[in-house]
Amino acid sequence: EAAEFQYKFGYPIPCSHLAKRIADLAQQSTQYAGRRSMAVVAILCSVDPELGPQLFRIDLAGSYFGYTACAAGAKEQEAQSLFEKKMKERGNKMEYSLAVQTAIDVLQTCVGADFKPAEVEVAVTTTNEDGTPSDFRSLSDDEVEQMLSLIA
């Protein structure tokens, strides 16, 4: 879908458009009992040159919503509540370091254990000073250790 969109229109597919397309396909599958997806939730993130960072969550029923922070999995409701609480406390627009710390803190709280840097993988995408997207990358163990020490 994404490659076809770029070939057809000459620019990368916006995350919102891709989320809608995936949701439409998922919704079509709900109309036939034998084709129903089993417990699949997709989370898409991107940095749009015009709109900035975007995050979408798509569920198997075909609904999709944009989020500032979201979770999926066994304790997603607890994580969502913690994200909402922390976003109210710290503000909707967080600095890079505080956003990473918040994500790790919510994960630690939901799992009920402290992490070592090798036990958690953190990936980030940021914008350059001119607002263009930078690379999507995983944090090194040293960077994760630094974030964990700031949380403690």
Side-chain angles (χ1 to χ4, degrees), residues 24-42:
D24 287 346
L25 292 171
Q27 198 282 326
Q28 287 176 359
S29 296
T30 64
Q31 299 193 12
Y32 305 98
R35 292 181 48 199
R36 224 168 253 206
S37 301
M38 298 300 287
V40 175
V41 174

Side-chain angles (χ1 to χ4, degrees), residues 92-120:
N92 220 13
K93 298 277 185 184
M94 288 189 210
E95 293 294 320
Y96 166 81
S97 178
L98 187 57
V100 174
Q101 290 172 43
T102 301
I104 294 172
D105 188 28
V106 167
L107 184 60
Q108 283 182 333
T109 303
C110 289
V111 172
D114 290 336
F115 294 123
K116 295 179 182 136
E119 296 174 339
V120 65

Side-chain angles (χ1 to χ4, degrees), residues 10 18 22 36 39 41 45 56 58 61 66 68 92 103 107 131 137:
L18 184 59
I22 293 171
R36 224 168 253 206
V41 174
C45 68
F56 289 91
I58 307 157
T68 304
N92 220 13
L107 184 60
R137 67 182 186 89

